[in-house]
Amino acid sequence: MKLDSQFVRAQFPAFSEPTLEGWAFFENAGGSYTCKQVIDRLTSYYTKLKVQPYYPYPTSMEAGKWMDESYERLAAYLNVDKDEIHFGPSTTQNIYVLANALRPMWNTGDEIIVSCQDHEANAGAWRRLENRGIVVKEWHVDKDCGHLHLSQLDELMTAKTKMIAFPHCSNVIAHINPVKEIADKAHGVGAIAVVDGVSYAPHGYPDVRDLGADIYMFSLYKTWGPHLGVMTVKRDLMQKVENQSHFFKNGVSRSMLTPAGPDHAQIAAAKGIAEYFDTLYHHHFGDDSVDLPTKSSLLHDMFRAHEKYLLKPLLEFLKSRDDVRIVGPDDPELRVPTVSIIPLKKNIGDVVAVLTDQKLMVGYGNFYAVRPLMDMDISRESGVLRMSFIHYTTMSEIEHLIAGLKIALDY
């Protein structure tokens, strides 16, 4: 099914915003535009329902209902149960809470494997457990291509391995890792698989149950929604973790990993992402009788097909140049459209300045992916120039980007 870009973009107020006219947005990996369904729900909640939820008066009951619907609908689109989904203030903070919740399950001297391909959010908190008696092993990336090799993982795993933490894909390398295979390896030694999906989920929600991830997490503000982190945690694992909330919240799955308490309005607004999916599915496929995991899978495949169609000419252009290095794979089948490059003959800041003059929104720096840059001998100070897009991007914007790159690199 071919994606209807005009219909998709009509769901995002940013594309009709006068101050953004003429600009092409290529920093989606840092945060996407927000769909109108989320904006409408957030506005309505603050206008009509901004009270403490779950009390017996009508406004409070409705506020709680809106929150419940977000848990139920997003869980279904991720193919997990509603008690397996958790909302927190950010993915980084969710991981710090998880590290404290999981540590009591392990004995001093137990081992965890932490990938060096990760954004620091899914790296730093785990490594700090070394100060609390856990042996931390690093799974380094290939210096040249940035891949994580499974053969090296096999060498790291032992009978003491309790967790493997790794990304679905990196926010600078963008190679799609074989999550299911890695999770199977983890389970084979009795360990859990903790997957950072922040850089993958914007390209289509995964089927978390099929992946086999024990914990899967990403940021809703990078998937067209409010500024929250979401994570799925398998029910049997939740029964083993240490409660991180008030003592009387022990056993209440929604609360145990949210010590600060929930952001009522933003959680309520998160259902807007599911409504956006509903709208896209009905427009493109029509048959609303199928279940939400199936809808999610079809939308995922449609997003990926559109993105690969856009990614191909960009990669072909970059491969034709002898003055840029592509970080990660140059095959659109192997990566998501988060394309990092290093100009070989120009200063990154100068190139970005020219691209900005061309009304192109791109980013540069290390993007908190300090460890993969270190493994690949890429300067942490200058970092990489990153161009990232998702399904609402159009071919005309790709052509705009290529034209801007020609000017910037030849300037």
Side-chain angles (χ1 to χ4, degrees), residues 114-120 122-123 165-167 196 368-372:
V114 182
S115 130
C116 290
Q117 198 189 62
D118 266 301
H119 181 292
E120 193 61 17
N122 198 26
F166 63 98
D196 173 4
Y368 293 176
V370 172
R371 296 180 196 274

Side-chain angles (χ1 to χ4, degrees), residues 353-393:
V354 176
L355 292 175
T356 303
D357 287 341
Q358 299 298 311
K359 288 195 168 183
L360 290 158
M361 293 183 270
V362 302
Y364 75 108
N366 61 48
F367 302 103
Y368 293 176
V370 172
R371 296 180 196 274
L373 296 186
M374 290 170 61
D375 272 4
M376 299 181 75
D377 287 338
I378 297 172
S379 167
R380 288 160 43 188
E381 286 70 35
S382 56
V384 298
L385 191 165
R386 188 174 73 176
M387 303 158 288
S388 53
F389 59 91
I390 57 176
H391 66 278
Y392 55 48
T393 304

Side-chain angles (χ1 to χ4, degrees), residues 201-213:
H203 309 288
Y205 277 11
D207 184 326
V208 174
R209 192 184 307 277
D210 181 65
L211 288 177

Side-chain angles (χ1 to χ4, degrees), residues 21 65 95 109 212 233 243 319 372 378:
E21 186 176 357
K65 178 183 175 183
I95 294 173
V233 183
N243 174 36
K319 286 190 289 184
I378 297 172

Side-chain angles (χ1 to χ4, degrees), residues 251-270:
V252 182
S253 62
R254 282 193 194 179
S255 302
M256 288 174 61
L257 298 176
T258 313
D263 186 317
H264 305 146
Q266 292 201 85
I267 291 174

Side-chain angles (χ1 to χ4, degrees), residues 137 150-158:
K137 293 184 172 182
L150 297 186
S151 59
Q152 293 181 0
L153 176 62
D154 291 336
E155 295 172 1
L156 293 170
M157 289 190 302
T158 72

Side-chain angles (χ1 to χ4, degrees), residues 97-122:
V97 173
L98 280 171
N100 287 318
L102 292 172
R103 174 60 185 91
M105 292 172 48
W106 304 328
N107 297 317
T108 298
D110 281 343
E111 301 169 357
I112 62 174
I113 298 171
V114 182
S115 130
C116 290
Q117 198 189 62
D118 266 301
H119 181 292
E120 193 61 17
N122 198 26

